[in-house]
Amino acid sequence: MKHVYLDNNATTRVDPQVVSAMLPFFTEQFGNASSMHAFGAEVSGAIKSARKSIQALIGAEHDYEIVFTSGGTESDNTAILSALEAMPGRDEIITTAVEHPALLQLCDYLEKSRGIHVHVIPVDTHGRLDIAAYKAALSPKTAIVSIMWANNETGTIFPVVELAELAKEAGALFHTDAVQAVGKIPIDLKSTQIDMLSISGHKLNAPKGIGVLYVRRGTRFRSLLKGGHQERGRRAGTENTPAIVGLGKAAELALAHMDVENTRVRELRDRLEKGLLQRIPNCFVTGDPYSRLPNTCNIAFEFIEGEGMLLLLNREGIACSSGSACASGSLEPSHVMRAMNIPYTAAHGALRFSLSRDNTDEDVDRVLDALPKIVEKLRALSPFWAGAGEAPKTFNPVYA
Ligand SMILES: *Cc1c(COP(=O)(O)O)cnc(C)c1O
């Protein structure tokens, strides 16, 4: 049975061309980029060329604005901690209720251990940011604003270009976790006021454990790690050359395939989504369908547990992900579903399908065939469903 992988927002397959590009850097080209001999020169040349590929993908003005890190989590942490050190007299952070844990857990820690004031901007039921609350939170005390470009669970895209302009007016730094956006939607940083941006390799068909923090030229910056002078003193530690070369190749491929992402992948996603909404009663799309990544859809199925569906889908060889995370033994809906105020009876049954250019029409057909039966089976066992029957939808569906 061929496996159907629809969990690309969790991680992606390393592209075979990326693997090929990396291999020589484990064998012949094993040098240390800092060495003053041919072995070093070869490697530092390859790192420079990877930097240029990433510069092109995100439209950065200079290649030295690209700083290689160990991934999205390190990039997010570095941006926030740097700003708190580099912006004297400013000790407040603004972020949103739907960020990745890499941001929210750090903010929580900073609030508890250092007394940093963190403004958490809410979202509405469609995942849209409360812009009035954001404007009200900005002040001369704001060190940094960190707002994700696109949400990993719902795919909702925030208007970060405009939000960065507002932050600039308040004299604050603006960082965006663009881990889910880079490679899926066009980005041209030089025409924006965004100071810092996070990328993760493994969300982009490159390996795990490599990422980028874009740092705009002239941005006040303090490195997280203290050590060698690598990355112009902004990220100490011998460069992970194979992974950097891999990420460079992945960036080239992402740029070349950007139109596929926004045509073929989007069409597959839309067919999957419409098909499920047609075949299954009492379900609806979460997030903002009018401002959304082309590869993601998150559907909440009422009166049913996400985990049950995942288990049965897995038996059919289909991999996707549930909106709820198992927190300390109790099944709590995800913080993103809670932030959107998705009714309890639906938040538990949210499933995220995240596609990639590897997916096919057959993959979509497999889900459209399997999931309606699974939902019917599970609902037959659900006391909530028995109580609800064919109840009217309790929540505004996006597609009536
Ligand atoms: C995956 C992800 C991260 C974390 O990236 P890692 O490279 O796994 O550390 C951060 N933010 C978002 C939105 C993500 O989807």
Side-chain angles (χ1 to χ4, degrees):
M1 177 171 55
K2 185 185 165 255
H3 279 270
V4 176
Y5 186 73
L6 299 172
D7 203 9
N8 288 277
N9 288 9
T11 198
T12 57
R13 179 178 85 119
V14 180
D15 192 289
Q17 292 186 62
V18 169
V19 177
S20 304
M22 291 173 68
L23 287 177
F25 293 89
F26 291 107
T27 51
E28 299 88 51
Q29 289 168 261
F30 62 84
N32 184 323
S34 304
S35 299
M36 302 297 286
H37 44 63
F39 290 85
E42 237 173 20
V43 165
S44 71
I47 292 176
K48 187 170 175 66
S49 127
R51 219 183 288 284
K52 287 204 168 298
S53 300
I54 291 146
Q55 177 195 1
L57 180 61
I58 60 176
E61 195 159 3
H62 308 284
D63 63 357
Y64 55 76
E65 293 172 324
I66 309 301
V67 179
F68 290 109
T69 67
S70 69
T73 301
E74 183 189 325
S75 297
D76 287 351
N77 274 255
T78 304
I80 300 287
L81 294 169
S82 165
L84 289 177
E85 263 192 70
M87 300 290 279
R90 291 175 176 258
D91 61 357
E92 292 188 2
I93 299 171
I94 300 176
T95 187
T96 81
V98 295
E99 299 296 313
H100 190 272
L103 238 301
L104 289 179
Q105 293 295 319
L106 173 66
C107 286
D108 197 45
Y109 166 79
L110 290 171
E111 198 160 41
K112 287 188 178 125
S113 70
R114 290 213 220 154
I116 301 292
H117 188 72
V118 181
H119 298 263
V120 179
I121 309 302
V123 296
D124 69 11
T125 50
H126 289 291
R128 294 173 297 215
L129 201 66
D130 183 340
I131 307 286
Y134 172 55
K135 286 182 179 163
L138 282 166
S139 84
K141 298 183 90 175
T142 314
I144 187 165
V145 175
S146 181
I147 298 181
M148 68 202 323
W149 202 309
N151 187 270
N152 44 304
E153 281 187 37
T154 61
T156 300
I157 296 171
F158 283 148
V160 284
V161 173
E162 291 78 15
L163 298 172
E165 282 162 16
L166 292 168
K168 273 297 95 128
E169 285 168 22
L173 292 178
F174 190 91
H175 164 257
T176 181
D177 176 336
V179 166
Q180 294 294 344
V182 170
K184 294 177 186 145
I185 54 175
I187 291 179
D188 186 48
L189 284 175
K190 57 185 170 305
S191 62
T192 74
Q193 307 258 38
I194 293 166
D195 298 299
M196 290 185 275
L197 171 145
S198 300
I199 301 177
S200 168
H202 74 99
K203 307 293 173 74
L204 194 69
N205 304 103
K208 294 155 186 64
I210 186 70
V212 160
L213 182 63
Y214 159 87
V215 184
R216 181 181 295 277
R217 177 183 169 202
T219 301
R220 292 157 167 268
F221 187 80
R222 300 282 183 282
S223 68
L224 180 67
L225 302 180
K226 318 298 173 201
H229 56 268
Q230 291 90 352
E231 300 297 287
R232 296 185 174 223
R234 291 167 303 177
R235 206 284 189 169
T238 303
E239 300 87 345
N240 182 354
T241 318
I244 288 171
V245 169
L247 183 51
K249 186 68 193 175
E252 267 175 48
L253 294 172
L255 196 56
H257 289 118
M258 187 79 72
D259 55 331
V260 174
E261 193 77 32
N262 285 284
T263 52
R264 200 179 67 80
V265 175
R266 183 188 292 275
E267 280 162 24
L268 284 176
R269 189 275 313 268
D270 288 348
R271 193 163 77 77
L272 173 69
E273 182 169 284
K274 292 214 170 79
L276 289 175
L277 294 175
Q278 274 166 9
R279 287 167 175 76
I280 302 174
N282 292 68
C283 66
F284 56 88
V285 173
T286 72
D288 184 355
Y290 303 107
S291 177
R292 192 166 54 147
L293 292 175
N295 80 315
T296 308
C297 82
N298 189 305
I299 302 182
F301 300 89
E302 290 183 291
F303 313 111
I304 199 170
E305 292 284 345
E307 281 68 24
M309 287 186 279
L310 285 188
L311 217 78
L312 296 181
L313 282 170
N314 186 49
R315 275 193 211 159
E316 306 277 333
I318 298 167
C320 63
S321 122
S322 98
S324 51
C326 189
S328 63
S330 70
L331 293 172
E332 275 292 304
S334 83
H335 69 285
V336 176
M337 294 299 132
R338 276 182 283 145
M340 293 191 294
N341 251 315
I342 301 296
Y344 188 80
T345 47
H348 273 284
L351 286 188
R352 175 186 71 187
F353 303 93
S354 47
L355 285 69
S356 79
R357 57 180 188 259
D358 290 336
N359 288 121
T360 62
D361 269 309
E362 289 96 276
D363 293 347
V364 170
D365 290 335
R366 286 265 296 277
V367 182
L368 292 182
D369 182 50
L371 192 52
K373 294 174 204 157
I374 290 172
V375 170
E376 204 181 324
K377 189 163 155 187
L378 290 173
R379 277 182 178 162
L381 303 170
S382 159
F384 301 106
W385 177 251
E390 289 283 331
K393 292 182 168 70
T394 58
F395 191 78
N396 265 350
V398 171
Y399 304 101

